[in-house]
Amino acid sequence: MCIRDRFTMFSAVKFVAASATVALLGGFLLAGLLTAPQGDEVLPAAVSASPTVEATSEPNEAETTSVRTDILPGVALTVEEVAPGMHLVLGDGIRQLSGPIHDVAIDGEDQVWVELGSSRNWRIVRLGEAGVSRRLGRKDPWDLDVTPDGRPTVHSPSAHLVYDGKAWVKSKQTEGEPAARPSRCPKEHQFLAGGECWSVGWPFGGLSRDVGGEEQLMPNAQFGLADDEMAWGNLSTGDGTGWVFVFADERMSKFDGLLRYDRDGWTLIPFEPPASLGGEVAVQPFPEWYAFAPDGTLWLSGWARSASADSEAFEWLGFAAISWDGEAWAAYGPADGEGDGASGVHVARDGSPWILHGGHLFAITPGAVAAAE
């Protein structure tokens, strides 16, 4: 499952924004075309479920690549292990997946769906399946997601499609979006912690408590934070529990840990860099790139840089993924983070994490790092 949260970040942290052309070979039986209200969108109606094999074009396997069937059961993934436990996905036995990938979703059966292509030629494909590939004509990429009952869905401001197992069909705009929970707080951006309404980053850039309808900035010492530390970003699980990022300063030059909140109050979880980082790497997770595993493990992704004490004198090393399982931190990477494309974190029901970074897909195998340490 993937949970998304959007808010404004300071420009001090280097982030990636969402941004090739692949043609479909073979024919699909079209029952008709649906034309959305916008002139730049052409959506397919019911499409035959008969598989049409796409041209197979796997990358040449070098010494660093291998074909793995254990990462995504039943699918022969061509991968390159770019760091212990972190694998760049290059192909699925059907097509190249070297990028750019615009979005990723994991359905209720733990099948991985990706959005490929370019303007007016977007393809939503299921890894390892040749017949599930649909051309969705629209100028901008679609938002790829999963409905609450586990079906893949794509949507835009004026159209919404759900894959029913055989075809992409129109549906209600809200079908893929969980119903919003009513808030007990007076303002939309506020959340409950310890029975009180709080906000992060608004309006003062720290943690503020609602007092009689007015937001008052609380001292860092109340949460066990140093005066210079910065609280930012609210990751809500929807069950009354949430997380706030803690950075070393307002420039977010260093990730110091998380503040966990629930109905009982606040708990500080310091970030202790795992041994796999070697003491030479600092991770700056982006609060929008996160997902929770079914067992509650929190997965984060962000930039990696040299662990220099001088926040102005460091070297960008790419990106890394980190996780907190309630007892300890784990880390994967760093890996080359070049590439201008979409990024995000997705976790399957079996707990398998998938990282989309810079338009490239990475699979994480946590057991490999645990065995190495």
Side-chain angles (χ1 to χ4, degrees), residues 94-344:
I94 306 295
R95 57 186 72 83
Q96 286 187 346
L97 295 168
S98 55
I101 295 173
H102 300 280
D103 210 345
V104 174
I106 303 176
D107 67 20
E109 297 180 352
D110 286 345
Q111 297 299 307
V112 179
W113 298 71
V114 300
E115 180 177 9
L116 305 168
S118 59
S119 182
R120 300 186 185 280
N121 191 28
W122 308 112
R123 295 186 302 151
I124 310 297
V125 302
R126 188 170 65 197
L127 297 193
E129 173 60 60
V132 184
S133 176
R134 303 293 180 257
R135 180 180 184 274
L136 302 177
R138 181 174 181 265
K139 182 178 180 181
D140 299 319
W142 292 77
D143 289 328
L144 175 61
D145 213 328
V146 176
T147 63
D149 60 1
R151 293 175 296 162
T153 175
V154 293
H155 50 92
S156 72
S158 62
H160 198 98
L161 298 174
V162 171
Y163 188 71
D164 66 0
K166 296 181 179 180
W168 292 95
V169 297
K170 288 199 302 184
S171 68
K172 296 180 180 180
Q173 184 73 16
T174 59
E175 186 169 348
E177 304 170 1
R181 289 174 173 263
S183 175
R184 290 171 49 191
C185 294
K187 299 179 181 179
E188 183 179 357
H189 60 271
Q190 294 178 335
F191 55 90
L192 280 173
E196 298 179 306
C197 293
W198 293 82
S199 62
V200 182
W202 177 271
F204 306 106
L207 282 163
S208 299
R209 182 167 61 92
D210 188 284
V211 181
E214 297 291 330
E215 292 182 327
Q216 296 184 4
L217 182 65
M218 297 291 106
N220 278 0
Q222 179 173 337
F223 311 97
L225 306 181
D227 290 342
D228 292 338
E229 287 186 306
M230 174 74 174
W232 194 261
N234 172 33
L235 312 184
S236 175
T237 61
D239 63 354
T241 302
W243 310 77
V244 171
F245 286 70
V246 178
F247 294 93
D249 50 47
E250 65 179 11
R251 293 176 297 176
M252 302 180 182
S253 61
K254 177 174 169 288
F255 176 60
D256 282 352
L258 295 166
L259 278 168
R260 181 184 183 275
Y261 66 83
D262 55 25
R263 294 176 177 84
D264 297 324
W266 297 87
T267 303
L268 176 61
I269 303 173
F271 177 62
E272 300 174 357
S276 57
L277 292 179
E280 304 295 329
V281 179
V283 180
Q284 290 178 294
F286 182 22
E288 192 178 22
W289 302 342
Y290 76 100
F292 290 95
D295 65 357
T297 298
L298 172 60
W299 285 88
L300 305 168
S301 174
W303 293 100
R305 63 172 179 81
S306 58
S308 171
D310 184 354
S311 61
E312 299 295 335
F314 58 81
E315 177 186 0
W316 289 108
L317 302 176
F319 85 103
I322 58 177
S323 66
W324 170 256
D325 65 2
E327 297 182 359
W329 291 94
Y332 307 85
D336 184 3
E338 295 183 3
D340 184 13
S343 299

